[in-house]
Coordinates of all heavy atoms in Angstrom, one line a residue:
E1 N 135.8 112.7 106.8 CA 134.4 112.5 107.0 C 133.7 113.6 107.8 O 132.5 113.9 107.5 CB 134.2 111.1 107.7 CG 134.7 110.0 106.9 CD 134.5 108.6 107.6 OE1 133.9 108.7 108.7 OE2 134.8 107.5 107.0
H2 N 134.4 114.3 108.7 CA 133.8 115.3 109.5 C 133.4 116.5 108.6 O 132.4 117.1 108.7 CB 134.7 115.7 110.6 CG 134.9 114.7 111.7 ND1 133.9 114.2 112.5 CD2 136.0 114.1 112.0 CE1 134.4 113.3 113.3 NE2 135.7 113.2 113.1
L3 N 134.3 116.8 107.6 CA 134.0 117.9 106.7 C 132.8 117.5 105.8 O 131.9 118.4 105.6 CB 135.3 118.1 105.9 CG 135.2 119.1 104.7 CD1 134.7 120.5 105.3 CD2 136.5 119.3 104.1
V4 N 132.8 116.3 105.2 CA 131.7 115.9 104.4 C 130.4 116.0 105.2 O 129.3 116.5 104.7 CB 131.8 114.5 103.9 CG1 130.6 114.0 103.1 CG2 133.1 114.4 103.0
E5 N 130.3 115.5 106.4 CA 129.1 115.5 107.2 C 128.7 117.0 107.5 O 127.5 117.3 107.5 CB 129.3 114.8 108.5 CG 128.1 114.7 109.4 CD 128.3 113.8 110.7 OE1 129.5 113.3 110.8 OE2 127.4 113.7 111.4
A6 N 129.7 117.8 107.8 CA 129.4 119.2 108.1 C 128.8 119.9 107.0 O 127.8 120.8 107.1 CB 130.7 119.9 108.6
L7 N 129.3 119.7 105.7 CA 128.7 120.2 104.5 C 127.3 119.8 104.3 O 126.4 120.6 104.0 CB 129.5 119.9 103.3 CG 130.8 120.6 103.2 CD1 131.7 120.0 102.1 CD2 130.6 122.1 102.8
Q8 N 127.0 118.5 104.5 CA 125.6 118.0 104.3 C 124.7 118.6 105.4 O 123.6 118.9 105.0 CB 125.7 116.4 104.5 CG 126.5 115.8 103.3 CD 126.7 114.3 103.6 OE1 126.7 113.8 104.7 NE2 126.9 113.5 102.5
N9 N 125.1 118.7 106.6 CA 124.3 119.2 107.7 C 123.9 120.7 107.4 O 122.9 121.1 107.7 CB 125.0 119.1 109.0 CG 125.0 117.6 109.5 OD1 124.2 116.8 109.0 ND2 125.9 117.3 110.4
K10 N 125.0 121.4 106.9 CA 124.7 122.8 106.6 C 123.6 123.0 105.7 O 122.7 123.9 106.0 CB 126.0 123.4 106.0 CG 125.8 124.9 105.5 CD 127.1 125.3 104.8 CE 126.9 126.7 104.1 NZ 126.6 127.8 105.1
Y11 N 123.5 122.3 104.6 CA 122.5 122.6 103.6 C 121.1 122.0 103.9 O 120.1 122.4 103.5 CB 123.0 122.2 102.2 CG 124.1 123.2 101.8 CD1 125.4 122.8 101.8 CD2 123.8 124.4 101.4 CE1 126.5 123.7 101.4 CE2 124.8 125.4 101.1 CZ 126.1 124.9 101.1 OH 127.1 125.8 100.7
S12 N 121.2 120.9 104.8 CA 119.8 120.4 105.3 C 119.2 121.5 106.3 O 118.0 121.5 106.2 CB 120.0 119.1 105.9 OG 120.8 119.2 107.1
S13 N 120.0 122.0 107.1 CA 119.5 123.0 108.0 C 119.0 124.2 107.4 O 118.1 124.9 107.8 CB 120.5 123.4 109.1 OG 121.7 124.1 108.6
H14 N 119.7 124.6 106.2 CA 119.2 125.8 105.4 C 117.8 125.6 104.9 O 117.0 126.5 104.9 CB 120.1 125.9 104.2 CG 121.4 126.7 104.6 ND1 122.2 127.2 103.6 CD2 121.9 127.0 105.7 CE1 123.3 127.8 104.2 NE2 123.1 127.7 105.5
E15 N 117.4 124.4 104.7 CA 116.0 124.1 104.3 C 115.1 124.3 105.4 O 114.0 124.8 105.2 CB 115.9 122.6 103.8 CG 116.7 122.3 102.6 CD 116.7 120.8 102.2 OE1 116.0 120.0 102.9 OE2 117.2 120.4 101.2
Y16 N 115.5 124.0 106.6 CA 114.7 124.3 107.8 C 114.5 125.7 108.0 O 113.4 126.2 108.3 CB 115.2 123.6 109.0 CG 114.4 123.7 110.3 CD1 113.1 123.5 110.2 CD2 115.0 124.1 111.5 CE1 112.3 123.7 111.4 CE2 114.2 124.2 112.7 CZ 112.8 124.0 112.5 OH 112.1 124.1 113.8
I17 N 115.5 126.5 107.8 CA 115.4 128.0 108.0 C 114.5 128.6 107.0 O 113.7 129.4 107.3 CB 116.8 128.6 107.8 CG1 117.8 128.3 109.0 CG2 116.8 130.1 107.6 CD1 119.2 128.7 108.8
D18 N 114.6 128.1 105.8 CA 113.7 128.5 104.7 C 112.3 128.2 105.0 O 111.4 129.0 104.8 CB 114.1 127.9 103.3 CG 113.4 128.4 102.2 OD1 113.4 129.6 102.0 OD2 112.7 127.6 101.4
E19 N 112.0 127.1 105.6 CA 110.6 126.7 106.0 C 110.1 127.6 107.1 O 108.9 128.1 107.1 CB 110.6 125.3 106.5 CG 109.2 124.7 106.8 CD 108.3 124.7 105.6 OE1 108.8 124.6 104.5 OE2 107.0 124.8 105.8
I20 N 110.9 128.0 108.0 CA 110.5 128.9 109.1 C 110.1 130.3 108.4 O 109.1 130.9 108.7 CB 111.6 129.2 110.1 CG1 111.8 127.9 110.9 CG2 111.3 130.3 111.1 CD1 113.0 127.9 111.9
E21 N 110.9 130.7 107.5 CA 110.7 132.1 106.8 C 109.4 132.0 106.0 O 108.6 132.9 106.0 CB 111.8 132.4 105.9 CG 113.1 132.8 106.6 CD 114.3 133.1 105.8 OE1 114.3 132.3 104.7 OE2 115.1 133.8 106.1
N22 N 109.1 130.8 105.4 CA 107.9 130.6 104.6 C 106.6 130.7 105.6 O 105.6 131.3 105.3 CB 107.8 129.3 103.9 CG 108.8 129.3 102.7 OD1 109.2 130.4 102.2 ND2 109.3 128.2 102.3
M23 N 106.8 130.0 106.7 CA 105.7 130.0 107.8 C 105.5 131.5 108.2 O 104.3 131.9 108.4 CB 105.9 129.0 108.8 CG 105.8 127.6 108.4 SD 106.0 126.4 109.8 CE 107.7 126.6 110.3
L24 N 106.5 132.2 108.5 CA 106.4 133.6 109.0 C 105.7 134.4 107.9 O 105.0 135.3 108.3 CB 107.8 134.1 109.4 CG 108.2 134.1 110.8 CD1 109.6 134.5 110.9 CD2 107.3 135.0 111.6
G25 N 106.1 134.1 106.6 CA 105.4 134.9 105.6 C 103.9 134.8 105.6 O 103.2 135.8 105.3
V26 N 103.4 133.6 105.9 CA 102.0 133.4 105.9 C 101.4 134.1 107.1 O 100.4 134.8 107.0 CB 101.7 131.9 106.1 CG1 100.2 131.6 106.3 CG2 102.1 131.1 104.8
K27 N 102.1 134.1 108.3 CA 101.6 134.8 109.4 C 101.6 136.3 109.2 O 100.5 137.0 109.5 CB 102.5 134.5 110.6 CG 102.6 133.1 111.1 CD 101.3 132.6 111.7 CE 101.5 131.2 112.3 NZ 100.2 130.7 113.0
L28 N 102.6 136.8 108.5 CA 102.7 138.3 108.2 C 101.6 138.7 107.3 O 101.1 139.8 107.4 CB 104.1 138.6 107.8 CG 105.1 138.6 108.9 CD1 106.6 138.8 108.3 CD2 105.0 139.5 110.0
L29 N 101.3 137.8 106.3 CA 100.4 138.1 105.3 C 99.0 138.3 105.9 O 98.2 139.2 105.5 CB 100.3 137.0 104.3 CG 99.4 137.3 103.0 CD1 99.9 138.5 102.2 CD2 99.4 136.0 102.2
N30 N 98.8 137.5 107.0 CA 97.4 137.7 107.7 C 97.3 139.0 108.5 O 96.3 139.4 108.9 CB 97.3 136.5 108.6 CG 97.0 135.2 107.9 OD1 96.5 135.2 106.8 ND2 97.4 134.1 108.5
L31 N 98.5 139.7 108.7 CA 98.5 140.9 109.4 C 98.6 142.2 108.5 O 98.5 143.3 108.9 CB 99.6 141.0 110.4 CG 99.5 140.1 111.6 CD1 100.8 139.8 112.3 CD2 98.6 140.8 112.6
D32 N 98.8 141.9 107.2 CA 99.0 143.0 106.2 C 97.9 144.0 106.2 O 98.1 145.2 106.2 CB 99.3 142.4 104.9 CG 100.7 142.2 104.6 OD1 101.6 142.5 105.4 OD2 101.1 141.7 103.5
E33 N 96.6 143.5 106.1 CA 95.5 144.4 106.0 C 95.4 145.3 107.2 O 95.2 146.5 106.9 CB 94.2 143.6 105.8 CG 93.0 144.4 105.6 CD 91.7 143.6 105.4 OE1 91.8 142.4 105.4 OE2 90.6 144.2 105.2
F34 N 95.5 144.8 108.4 CA 95.4 145.7 109.5 C 96.5 146.8 109.5 O 96.3 147.9 109.8 CB 95.4 145.0 110.8 CG 95.4 145.8 112.1 CD1 94.1 146.2 112.5 CD2 96.5 146.2 112.7 CE1 94.1 147.0 113.6 CE2 96.5 147.0 113.9 CZ 95.2 147.4 114.3
R35 N 97.8 146.3 109.3 CA 98.9 147.2 109.2 C 98.8 148.3 108.2 O 99.0 149.4 108.6 CB 100.2 146.4 109.0 CG 101.5 147.2 109.0 CD 102.8 146.4 108.9 NE 102.7 145.4 107.8 CZ 103.2 145.7 106.6 NH1 103.6 146.9 106.3 NH2 103.1 144.8 105.6
L36 N 98.5 148.0 107.0 CA 98.5 148.9 105.9 C 97.3 149.8 106.1 O 97.4 150.9 105.7 CB 98.3 148.2 104.6 CG 99.6 147.3 104.2 CD1 99.4 146.5 102.9 CD2 100.9 148.2 104.1
N37 N 96.2 149.4 106.7 CA 95.1 150.3 107.0 C 95.2 151.2 108.2 O 94.4 152.2 108.3 CB 93.8 149.4 107.1 CG 93.3 148.9 105.8 OD1 93.6 149.3 104.7 ND2 92.6 147.7 105.9
N38 N 96.3 151.0 109.0 CA 96.3 151.7 110.2 C 97.7 152.4 110.5 O 98.0 152.8 111.5 CB 96.1 150.8 111.4 CG 94.6 150.4 111.4 OD1 93.7 151.2 111.9 ND2 94.3 149.2 111.0
I39 N 98.5 152.6 109.4 CA 99.7 153.3 109.6 C 99.9 154.4 108.5 O 99.2 154.3 107.5 CB 100.9 152.3 109.4 CG1 101.0 151.7 108.0 CG2 101.0 151.3 110.5 CD1 102.3 150.9 107.7

């Protein structure tokens, strides 16, 4: 049962990691114009 639970927890936490990356993508998109215009 520990193995089954560990497998289930692994892929549910992957969804959370993916959500963080998506939120970061929005934040970075808001900085794109300044960055690209000034480098």
Side-chain angles (χ1 to χ4, degrees):
E1 294 180 2
H2 294 297
L3 175 54
V4 175
E5 183 179 358
L7 284 168
Q8 292 170 339
N9 289 339
K10 172 184 173 66
Y11 291 105
S12 63
S13 65
H14 279 188
E15 293 175 2
Y16 184 46
I17 291 174
D18 187 54
E19 183 61 27
I20 293 174
E21 289 174 329
N22 289 338
M23 289 189 289
L24 260 172
V26 174
K27 298 287 186 184
L28 292 173
L29 187 62
N30 290 332
L31 284 161
D32 267 359
E33 183 176 0
F34 180 84
R35 176 172 58 87
L36 295 175
N37 287 338
N38 291 283
I39 61 172

